[in-house]
Each structure stands twice: as C-alpha cells, then as structure tokens.
Amino acid sequence: ILSSFPEKALELFTAPDEKHHLSADSILELLSEFEQNSRVPLKELYLENLVFEKKSDIERFHTQLAVHYVTKLFQERDHDDTLTDQEAEQMSYNKDVQRYRRKLNRILHDSKFYRPKKILEKIRGSWLFKEEIYLYSILNMHDEALSLLVENSEKTGDYSEPENYCTGIAASECSTGNLLSRLIKIYIKFYNDTTTNKSTLEAAPIEDEELQNRIDSLTVQAAKYQKRVLSLLQKYSFHNQLNPLEVIDILPDYWKLSATDGDSNSLLSYLTSTMQNYVHKQKNTKIARQLAEMEQLQVECQWIKARRPYVRITPERTCDVCKRKINDKVFVVYPNGVTTHHTCIQDTNVCPVTGENFKATFLR
C-alpha cells in the first residue's frame, strides 16, 4: 500500500482506532522511505497527527516535528539570509515561509515536550529572530536574549523591544526579577567595548579621513549607549527591578553627574529621585514598624488583663449552669468570671451563660 497508495497508508496509520500493530517509530521510518513517491509530506502529517491530534507526550516526536519545520523554513529561505521580515514579504516564497513559521511558532508556544536547546542550536544566528528570543526566554538565558535585542535595536532604531522584554512576560517568568538591571549592564558593556575600540583607533599612528570618521562614529555610538542607560534609569527609577545600590556599583566612575547638553536624563536627576524614594520608603518602614510595636503592646496588655481576674472556690460556690455546688469536682473559669462544672459545658471557648465566643474575641 505504501508504494502504490502512500496517502491511503497514511490514513490507516492516523485512524483513531489504530487497527495496525506498528510502533510510531516504525511508521515514521516507513513513511520516510516512501515519502519521495508521494505528493504530500507523509512524515510531517503523521508527526502532526501524533503531536496535535493524539496529544503524544513523547519528547522526540515534538522535537522532531519542530526540527522538521525549521528545516523546511531554511530550504525556502537561507539560514543566513539578511533580509528583514518586511523585505522578505515581497519575495515569491513568502507564503510557504509564513505557513511553516506559523506551524513552528504553534509548537514552540503550545508544546511543553520538545527540547528547546536543540531547536535553538538550529536557528541561532538566523533570520528566525523572534523564535530565537523566545527560546532564550524559556531557557532563562535572559542575558543572551537582551544582548540580541539590543543588537537588533541598533539596526531597526526601535529601542522599545529590550524594555518590553524586561517588563513583559519574561519578567513574570524570571526567578531573579532583575531584568532591567541586566539590560543596563548590557548597555554599559556595549558602551565600554565601544570606548575601548575608540581608544585603540585614537592611539593608531596613522591619521586619515576614514580613520577619523570611524572614531567619530564610535563616539556617537558610545553616546547613544550612555543616553539609553540614563533614559532607563530615569524612566524606571522606582521600579522594583532596579536596586539603586547595584546600579551605582555598575555605573562607570567617570560619568558626569549632570548632563552637558541640557538633557533632563542625567545621573544627578536619577540619584535625586532615587534618594527621595529611598527616604520615603525608609520613613514608611519606620512607621509600619512602630505601628506593629504598638499593636503588639496592645495585645500584651489585653493578655495581661485577661489573666488578672481570679475566682475563689468556697464550699458554698455553685456552678453557674446547673446551680449545684462545685465542691472538689473539675471546674472551668471563663474570662468573664463565669464558673461551671467541666461536665456542664459544651465548648471551652464559648461561655455557656452569655454565649460569648472568647476565641473569636481575642483573635479579633
């Protein structure tokens, strides 16, 4: 059947009742052998049936399907293609690329059983930029994701993507919760690398127009990185992901406190607002601590007051419930002074005469 009617064989293998007795691995091997004689992608359709229809939780099938999608994408569009997605939309192969990209994203986002590291190895450094960022995020490789986003923002001029990564879904999934601090560290690293390259060129003995243009370009680039850091500090100065002590520790010592170009984003502005916020938090913490101490004192006073009353058991003292003499029998005394035989009560927390619930009263 496979050699003459491979599509019919596929229907047999994917039928809900599964009347055959072959393992999924054996079927995949058979389909791979006869797929070249078929007009339809047998192996792909069978894997999709296993993953999406039969909900298989076997890792290798999910990984195999994702790798298959990546392979098909790179057959249509080269791994090292430098076109942007907007430019690629004009290409004739766009429909196939879009179809397989949608399929790849479906399994990346919906499946929990594939091996993300293996998929990442296949697409790292390719035009599948968004997919690479997503895989970095689920692997908690946030520094790599942020570095790639910063590099890409230099090409596109859109600096919102690294920020959105820090404050969006990745922030909720990051256990350390300091993505903004990491982003600032990356910008400072790029700044230091740029200034180092600039210093190397300035020390070169050869002077020509091309060299000077390169130095000027690096100067502008370093200034951009510094501006991004100051902008982030100002924008997120009160954000819980930014620890002022950590930030001050990673900032270059030679950065000026005040801006020279009249820009409102400066270290002085950040430090001023941060210190005001820090002092405000310290005051609130002190007030909260004092209130807690006052409440503790009140509870202690109530406890002492509750322990102060006492009763005297005399031969004539009677039970407040049954009105019989207590004598030498076991008795219970409630905070309101009610005294009863132990056998005359139903709940040690509730006064049998007034009905007051002392447990609820003292926990209030």
Side-chain angles (χ1 to χ4, degrees), residues 222-237:
K224 284 183 178 180
Y225 290 134
Q226 183 177 10
K227 189 173 182 179
R228 289 305 308 157
V229 171
L230 296 177
S231 177
L232 286 171
L233 290 177
Q234 192 65 32
K235 185 176 180 180
Y236 299 102
S237 57

Side-chain angles (χ1 to χ4, degrees), residues 15-288:
D17 50 2
E18 292 190 2
K19 295 180 179 180
H20 59 84
H21 300 286
L22 295 174
S23 67
D25 292 303
S26 298
I27 293 173
L28 284 169
E29 187 176 347
L30 286 170
L31 292 177
S32 298
E33 182 179 348
F34 290 94
E35 189 170 33
Q36 59 184 356
N37 298 324
S38 173
R39 295 172 299 174
V40 296
L42 300 175
K43 187 176 178 180
E44 175 186 322
L45 293 174
Y46 182 68
L47 282 171
E48 288 177 343
N49 178 263
L50 285 176
V51 171
F52 298 121
E53 301 299 328
K54 296 182 179 177
K55 307 295 182 183
S56 171
D57 59 358
I58 300 177
E59 172 271 320
R60 65 178 180 277
F61 297 145
H62 290 251
T63 303
Q64 196 172 350
L65 182 58
V67 169
H68 170 77
Y69 290 151
V70 172
T71 302
K72 296 295 288 186
L73 282 166
F74 290 153
Q75 286 175 354
E76 297 291 338
R77 183 177 171 187
D78 188 69
H79 177 283
D80 299 322
D81 192 343
T82 57
L83 292 176
T84 64
D85 288 342
Q86 291 77 9
E87 293 170 335
E89 288 180 1
Q90 310 301 323
M91 305 299 288
S92 59
Y93 54 66
N94 182 55
K95 289 184 178 179
D96 290 331
V97 170
Q98 283 188 341
R99 180 164 60 89
Y100 277 108
R101 196 170 191 177
R102 282 195 299 268
K103 288 186 174 185
L104 175 61
N105 276 279
R106 180 187 179 188
I107 194 169
L108 292 183
H109 289 269
D110 295 347
S111 172
K112 297 180 181 178
F113 302 108
Y114 64 90
R115 289 170 55 196
K117 284 187 177 180
K118 185 167 184 178
I119 312 303
L120 183 59
E121 290 173 1
K122 299 286 184 181
I123 69 173
R124 183 183 279 116
S126 73
W127 51 270
L128 290 171
F129 171 76
K130 294 179 180 179
E131 291 78 5
E132 184 176 353
I133 294 296
Y134 178 75
L135 289 171
Y136 278 136
S137 70
I138 64 176
L139 288 168
N140 288 321
M141 299 172 67
H142 299 294
D143 289 347
E144 290 81 353
L146 287 170
S147 296
L148 189 59
L149 285 166
V150 170
E151 290 175 1
N152 188 67
S153 66
E154 294 299 320
K155 302 175 185 176
T156 63
D158 182 8
Y159 293 96
S160 63
E161 287 190 351
E163 290 182 42
N164 293 338
Y165 182 91
C166 293
T167 58
I169 298 176
S172 62
E173 296 177 350
C174 179
S175 57
T176 55
N178 61 347
L179 293 180
L180 283 172
S181 296
R182 294 189 187 189
L183 178 58
I184 288 174
K185 286 182 181 179
I186 289 170
Y187 274 124
I188 292 177
K189 178 182 180 302
F190 280 33
Y191 171 87
N192 290 333
D193 292 344
T194 304
T195 53
T196 300
N197 292 337
K198 175 190 170 186
S199 300
T200 302
L201 292 179
E202 287 175 335
I206 302 175
E207 294 185 6
D208 56 28
E209 185 177 350
E210 182 178 350
L211 179 62
Q212 187 60 46
N213 290 338
R214 178 60 179 157
I215 292 174
D216 293 341
S217 175
L218 290 173
T219 302
V220 172
Q221 191 63 48
K224 284 183 178 180
Y225 290 134
Q226 183 177 10
K227 189 173 182 179
R228 289 305 308 157
V229 171
L230 296 177
S231 177
L232 286 171
L233 290 177
Q234 192 65 32
K235 185 176 180 180
Y236 299 102
S237 57
F238 302 149
H239 201 284
N240 56 12
Q241 287 190 29
L242 281 184
N243 185 325
L245 298 180
E246 290 182 3
V247 171
I248 293 173
D249 189 51
I250 64 176
L251 289 174
D253 296 334
Y254 51 86
W255 279 13
K256 295 181 179 179
L257 286 176
S258 58
T260 56
D261 56 356
D263 193 348
S264 60
N265 295 326
S266 66
L267 277 181
L268 181 60
S269 176
Y270 165 71
L271 292 173
T272 301
S273 60
T274 301
M275 287 305 298
Q276 290 174 346
N277 185 56
Y278 178 77
V279 171
H280 178 70
K281 285 183 176 180
Q282 288 291 95
K283 287 182 178 179
N284 286 344
T285 302
K286 186 176 180 180
I287 292 172

